[in-house]
């Protein structure tokens, strides 16, 4: 059996760099999905948790006065957008954990001794994986909200929901992967996730509008990235407001839907630019 | 022709110097053994060669190419089997091999053909489709070897390939390495087992405190020491002073060389004698000086003697010495990327 002589036919040399890159990305993505399918508990919990939020939190304010929210909106309908964004945010914030475990167990070394066309395939596969899960979770929440009588996005609204979510997920995944490469271990990463998660939820418009908040918290909510994702999605659920209308009445001025998406996109680009050198330091 | 050239490698972790101007040259087609106690810099050397680590200074050349400048080209030529067996427990062995093949850009049908060859060769058919989390140490190591060999590397690098393995798995690994060697693959393996390096390698280097202290074929290195390795005890329990006295006495005898007082063996004397004349001269000299002979044994020189001669301590002692100083947590962090 001939096993040792390196022949040029053995490698995909005639393939273009792009094809090699795609081969890496699909192999790494496949690994992540195999893990998910064989250990589905995270996905099941990831879908159940937001549904519980939606039901319990929705019920908490079910008997609020009719003009409780601006425009007489039902609380459950108001809350839906917040839960969708918060779920996607938490999921993406955890994106760094598998990479951190790969670092700790030495599996990452396996990837790093391989002649990867670009080591960003490790990042891309994580983004694909997290995005898919987020969209699945989002779809589950939207369906649940529909059956609870909280409505369904207007025409083109579903597209807007998914677009907004993806931009947010890219940003947070970049952040989390960056952290996974600079923090010393998973304990520290989990600590960061823990400290970031709930405060960002409460200091956003996920649960109540800015008008409810004391001035200082209103300021925080008006610069919180979650708010910029929540409001366009909320608009997608409303028949009267479009992307052109003012969605955030921030202390520093009014922002419409396009403004929200622009700010979110700039944040994503910024985070990828900041994270890049962190990744490159480890991933030459 | 040299396949691997490491020149003047230096590497430190904080204040700890791991490599001090290490230079190593590996001819194509050899099975090269890197012998040294734990913590001597073997793993660091291999990690630098496999592009996992950048040296502070020095050059690394594989097949004429500068590894530090163009790591990607080298990676496809090297198969690395690391010491710590990190596998994704949730994947089956076959899926892990497929992942490897894809990361090395093998064409799909070629990849699958190679996987079948490896399953056959390493006798993995029975368990390859089971999740790797259920594998024993020997099975994991075989899977790791298969992964390292999948892309037909010019150079196979193994870090302590048989550490912690049962005898059966060990002999499987040994015979595979021998086969690969006869087929022409250049193999570099590190080990702190003397027998392993002695039995397998045709060229070897002894590495201690981050530098190469002896290099050659195992038989050459042993031959350099002389014909007889002698262990002498003048009393059952001797001491440093007496040992030193005896050392001075027999140092002057023609044909006797490399006399060491072995503190770990009750201050016995270890030395090499070229012929029987020098031994009988030693007996009469000892007698004259009033020393008795409690025991005297002769044997062929071993690699441990080569190590003892170069460093003044046995490999076992060196091992014990470092093991008390090692910080495994720190080392784990160092290998983390």
């Amino acid at each position: 059996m001939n096993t040792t002589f390196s022949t040029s036919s053995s490698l995909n040399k005639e393939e273009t760099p792009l094809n090699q890159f795609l081969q890496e990305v699909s192999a790494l993505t496949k690994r992540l999905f195999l893990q998910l399918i064989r250990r589905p508990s995270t996905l099941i919990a990831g879908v159940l948790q937001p549904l519980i939020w939606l039901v319990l939190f929705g019920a908490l304010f079910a008997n609020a006065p009719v003009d409780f929210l601006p425009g007489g909106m039902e609380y459950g309908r108001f809350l839906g957008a917040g839960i969708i964004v918060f779920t996607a945010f938490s999921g993406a914030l955890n994106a760094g954990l598998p990479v951190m475990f790969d670092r700790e167990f030495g599996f990452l070394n396996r990837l790093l001794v391989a002649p990867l066309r670009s080591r960003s395939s490790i990042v891309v596969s994580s983004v694909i994986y997290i995005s898919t899960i987020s969209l699945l979770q989002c779809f589950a929440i939207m369906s649940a909200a529909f059956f609870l009588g909280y409505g369904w996005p207007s025409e083109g609204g579903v597209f807007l929901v998914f677009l907004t979510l993806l931009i947010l997920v890219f940003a947070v995944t970049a952040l989390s992967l960056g952290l996974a490469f600079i923090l010393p271990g998973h304990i520290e990463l989990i600590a960061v996730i823990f400290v970031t998660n709930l405060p960002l939820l409460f200091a956003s418009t996920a649960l109540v509008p800015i008008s409810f908040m004391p001035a200082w918290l209103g300021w925080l909510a008006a610069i919180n990235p979650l708010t910029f994702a929540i409001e366009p999605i909320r608009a997608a659920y409303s028949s009267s407001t479009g992307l052109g209308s003012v969605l955030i009445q921030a202390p520093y001025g009014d922002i419409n839907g396009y403004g929200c998406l622009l700010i979110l996109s700039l944040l994503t680009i910024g985070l990828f630019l900041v994270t890049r050198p962190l990744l490159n330091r480890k991933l030459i | 022709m040299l396949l691997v050239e490491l020149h003047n490698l230096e590497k430190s972790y904080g204040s700890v110097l791991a490599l001090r101007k290490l230079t190593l040259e590996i001819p194509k087609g050899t099975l090269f053994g890197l012998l040294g106690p734990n913590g001597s810099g073997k793993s660091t050397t291999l990690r630098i060669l496999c592009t996992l680590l950048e040296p502070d200074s020095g050059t690394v050349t594989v097949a004429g190419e500068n590894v530090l400048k163009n790591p990607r080209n080298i990676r496809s030529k090297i198969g690395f089997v690391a010491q710590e067996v990190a596998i994704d427990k949730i994947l089956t062995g076959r899926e892990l091999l497929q992942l490897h093949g894809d990361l090395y850009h093998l064409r799909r049908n070629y990849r699958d053909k190679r996987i079948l060859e490896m399953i056959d060769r390493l006798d993995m058919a029975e368990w390859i489709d089971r999740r790797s989390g259920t594998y024993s140490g020997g099975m994991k190591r075989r899977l790791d070897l298969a992964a390292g060999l999948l892309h037909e590397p010019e150079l196979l690098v193994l870090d302590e390939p048989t550490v912690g393995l049962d005898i059966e798995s060990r002999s499987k690994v040994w015979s595979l390495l021998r086969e690969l060697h006869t087929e022409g693959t250049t193999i570099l393996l590190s080990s702190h087992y003397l027998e392993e390096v002695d039995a397998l390698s045709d060229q070897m280097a002894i590495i201690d405190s981050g530098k190469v202290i002896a290099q050659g074929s195992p038989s050459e290195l042993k031959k350099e020491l002389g014909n007889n390795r002698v262990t002498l005890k003048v009393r059952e329990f001797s001491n440093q002073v007496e040992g030193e006295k005896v050392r001075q006495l027999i140092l002057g005898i023609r044909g006797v060389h490399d006399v060491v007082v072995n503190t770990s063996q009750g201050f016995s004397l270890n030395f090499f004698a070229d012929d029987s004349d020098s031994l009988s001269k030693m007996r009469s000299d000892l007698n004259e000086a009033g020393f008795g002979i409690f025991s005297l044994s002769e044997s062929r020189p071993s690699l441990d003697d080569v190590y003892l001669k170069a460093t003044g301590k046995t490999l076992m002692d060196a091992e014990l010495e470092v093991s008390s100083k090692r910080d495994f947590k720190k080392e784990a962090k160092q290998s983390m990327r």
Side-chain angles (χ1 to χ4, degrees), chain B residues 26-231:
Chain B
I26 297 166
K28 203 176 163 80
T30 47
L31 202 172
F32 198 101
L34 201 57
L35 177 70
N38 281 320
S40 57
K42 300 188 301 289
S43 290
T44 304
T45 308
L46 299 190
R47 291 167 61 80
I48 288 175
L49 176 61
C50 296
T51 75
L52 274 176
L53 206 61
E54 230 180 302
D56 298 338
S57 65
T59 59
V60 184
T61 315
V62 174
E65 261 187 284
N66 184 338
V67 172
L68 303 174
K69 258 198 193 133
N70 199 351
R72 228 186 62 78
N73 272 0
I74 305 302
R75 288 186 189 120
S76 58
K77 293 182 180 162
I78 297 181
F80 182 46
V81 182
Q83 187 178 353
E84 75 279 12
V85 189
I87 54 179
D88 190 334
K89 286 191 271 185
I90 209 109
L91 300 185
T92 68
R94 193 190 299 270
E95 285 162 350
L96 266 164
L97 292 178
Q98 287 166 345
L99 173 65
H100 256 265
D102 284 336
L103 296 183
Y104 283 83
H105 310 123
L106 305 186
R107 265 190 268 110
R108 179 174 288 252
N109 42 13
Y110 175 75
R111 177 195 79 183
D112 293 342
K113 188 185 122 225
R114 283 291 293 169
I115 292 176
L116 290 180
E117 281 173 17
M118 283 297 136
I119 292 173
D120 186 40
R121 184 154 196 179
L122 285 150
D123 203 7
M124 307 189 290
E126 207 183 300
W127 41 267
I128 194 71
D129 288 312
R130 267 193 253 153
R131 289 192 194 177
S132 58
T134 64
Y135 293 177
S136 70
M139 288 149 89
K140 283 182 194 166
R141 194 55 57 96
R142 274 190 266 166
L143 180 65
D144 246 4
L145 266 166
L149 287 168
L150 202 63
H151 59 288
E152 297 189 85
E154 274 179 62
L155 171 68
L156 182 65
V157 179
L158 308 110
D159 195 0
E160 305 267 6
T162 63
V163 95
L165 285 196
D166 56 280
I167 293 173
E168 197 203 325
S169 301
R170 193 181 208 198
S171 79
K172 269 227 168 77
V173 172
W174 280 20
S175 59
L176 175 72
L177 292 181
R178 286 201 178 103
E179 272 173 52
L180 291 167
H181 179 43
T182 33
E183 287 164 18
T185 307
T186 310
I187 302 173
L188 169 63
L189 72 91
S190 79
S191 181
H192 64 284
Y193 294 135
L194 294 160
E195 330 80 77
E196 185 158 87
V197 174
D198 206 356
L200 286 177
S201 59
D202 54 1
Q203 288 288 314
M204 65 170 292
I206 299 182
I207 163 169
D208 183 66
S209 315
K211 49 181 191 281
V212 173
I213 52 172
Q215 192 171 352
S217 75
S219 54
E220 265 167 32
L221 286 173
K222 286 184 286 189
K223 217 182 265 167
E224 270 171 28
L225 290 171
N227 286 325
N228 287 310
R229 175 197 189 280
V230 184
T231 306

Side-chain angles (χ1 to χ4, degrees), chain A residues 3-5 9 12 14 23-24 31 35 38 103 105 110 112 114-117 119 184 282, chain B residues 72 75 86-88 90 95 100 102 104-107 110 114 121 144 152 183 185 333 336-337:
Chain A
T3 44
T4 49
F5 294 103
S9 68
N12 242 346
E14 61 276 26
Q23 190 178 10
E24 293 158 20
R31 171 183 173 227
Q35 288 178 336
R38 292 185 190 162
R103 275 181 73 202
F105 290 124
R110 248 175 217 280
L112 298 187
L116 299 183
R117 185 41 76 173
R119 287 176 171 184
K282 299 281 184 179
Chain B
R72 228 186 62 78
R75 288 186 189 120
I87 54 179
D88 190 334
I90 209 109
E95 285 162 350
H100 256 265
D102 284 336
Y104 283 83
H105 310 123
L106 305 186
R107 265 190 268 110
Y110 175 75
R114 283 291 293 169
R121 184 154 196 179
D144 246 4
E152 297 189 85
E183 287 164 18
T185 307
K333 288 277 171 202
M336 222 172 111
R337 285 273 312 232

Side-chain angles (χ1 to χ4, degrees), chain A residues 98-259:
Chain A
V99 175
M100 181 59 98
F101 284 125
D102 278 352
R103 275 181 73 202
E104 288 183 334
F105 290 124
F107 197 86
L108 187 69
N109 284 342
R110 248 175 217 280
L111 310 183
L112 298 187
V113 294
L116 299 183
R117 185 41 76 173
S118 161
R119 287 176 171 184
S120 57
S121 50
I122 297 171
V123 175
V124 174
S125 59
S126 290
V127 171
I128 294 175
Y129 171 72
I130 296 293
S131 306
T132 312
I133 293 184
S134 292
L135 293 186
L136 277 177
Q137 287 175 315
C138 173
F139 189 74
I141 302 166
M142 285 167 68
S143 309
F146 175 76
F147 286 114
L148 288 169
Y150 300 147
W152 186 259
S154 52
E155 274 169 59
V158 178
F159 174 73
L160 177 61
V161 172
F162 285 168
L163 176 74
T164 314
L165 268 194
L166 284 181
I167 300 174
L168 180 76
V169 165
F170 287 169
V172 182
T173 304
L175 176 74
S176 181
L177 288 174
L179 288 173
F181 280 106
I182 52 170
L183 292 177
H186 73 273
I187 305 277
E188 288 80 2
L189 183 59
I190 288 173
V192 170
I193 292 171
F194 212 69
V195 167
T196 332
N197 215 353
L198 282 182
L200 272 173
L201 170 70
F202 289 124
S204 77
T205 59
L207 307 177
V208 294
I210 287 184
S211 56
F212 277 35
M213 303 177 187
W216 63 272
L217 189 59
W219 263 100
L220 285 183
I223 53 170
N224 184 340
L226 293 193
T227 303
F228 297 111
I230 291 166
E231 293 307 327
I233 291 179
R234 201 162 272 158
Y237 264 91
S238 153
S239 49
S240 57
T241 47
L243 278 181
S245 26
V246 170
L247 297 183
I248 304 176
Q249 288 173 312
Y252 50 77
D254 292 346
I255 301 171
N256 67 15
Y258 294 110

